[in-house]
């Protein structure tokens, strides 16, 4: 069951990431990345309270939408904030942050799960993703506003 549920994430990304990127690039990236973080927070937070196959699929759809909204925005935000001569270094640190989070997140989540239970894992995930959304919202004014280029037919 878990494999079928989590496969929804990969399927949605394969089918909709490119159209989603085209859509999200029309909006201010600071606003969108904050919205994406809150959407992800809701999707992961709901995992702790839902029951049944269909309900878990809905949670995956919600957090995947947040993930697809965030994916094209984060590198752009790093580029906005980095001094021109340090952009490559900032991008390297961004990659290390994602790798580091994956390296420590699973063991910490497993420890919380084994000691406190799943409700704490998902409540904590909701809280951390919500904090990320607030932090993204707080830097919104520092991000460049791009002119939207009309689509070529």
């Amino acid at each position: 069951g878990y494999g079928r549920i989590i496969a929804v994430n990969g399927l949605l990304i394969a089918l909709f990431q490119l159209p989603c990127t085209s859509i999200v690039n029309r909006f201010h990236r600071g606003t969108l990345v904050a919205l994406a973080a809150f959407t992800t927070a809701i999707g992961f937070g709901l995992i702790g309270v839902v029951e049944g196959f269909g309900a878990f699929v809905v949670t995956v759809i919600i957090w995947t939408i947040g993930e697809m909204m965030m994916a094209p925005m984060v590198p752009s935000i790093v580029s906005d904030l980095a001094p021109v001569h340090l952009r490559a270094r900032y991008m390297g640190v961004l990659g290390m942050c994602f790798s580091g989070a994956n390296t420590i997140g699973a063991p910490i989540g497993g420890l919380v799960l084994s000691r406190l239970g799943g409700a704490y894992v998902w409540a904590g995930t909701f809280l951390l993703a919500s904090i990320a959304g607030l932090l993204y919202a707080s830097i919104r004014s520092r991000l460049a506003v791009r002119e939207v280029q009309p689509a070529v037919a």
Side-chain angles (χ1 to χ4, degrees):
Y2 173 78
R4 291 192 325 234
I5 291 169
I6 204 66
V8 171
N9 171 260
L11 182 64
L12 288 173
I13 290 171
L15 294 175
F16 298 112
Q17 182 64 67
L18 291 176
C20 180
T21 299
S22 176
I23 293 167
V24 299
N25 279 327
R26 298 176 186 162
F27 299 95
H28 188 281
R29 60 181 71 134
T31 301
L32 209 45
V33 77
L35 178 62
F38 290 123
T39 303
T40 304
I42 291 166
F44 280 126
L46 286 173
I47 293 172
V49 297
V50 301
E51 294 182 21
F53 182 86
F56 283 113
V57 168
V58 170
T59 67
V60 170
I61 292 169
I62 294 169
W63 63 256
T64 299
I65 290 169
E67 179 184 21
M68 289 190 301
M69 290 167 56
M70 191 175 297
M73 296 290 115
V74 172
S76 298
I77 288 170
V78 171
S79 180
D80 284 349
L81 298 175
V84 174
H85 68 285
L86 294 175
R87 281 193 181 146
R89 190 169 295 178
Y90 273 54
M91 290 299 181
V93 170
L94 173 64
M96 287 176 35
C97 288
F98 272 96
S99 297
N102 287 326
T103 300
I104 65 171
I108 290 172
L111 185 64
V112 171
L113 180 63
S114 68
R115 300 249 170 119
L116 302 173
Y120 285 90
V121 171
W122 302 116
T125 304
F126 172 79
L127 180 64
L128 290 172
S130 295
I131 291 169
L134 291 172
L135 291 171
Y136 282 127
S138 75
I139 65 167
R140 182 185 183 282
S141 64
R142 295 185 57 207
L143 303 176
V145 177
R146 292 181 296 182
E147 291 185 28
V148 177
Q149 301 297 323
V152 178

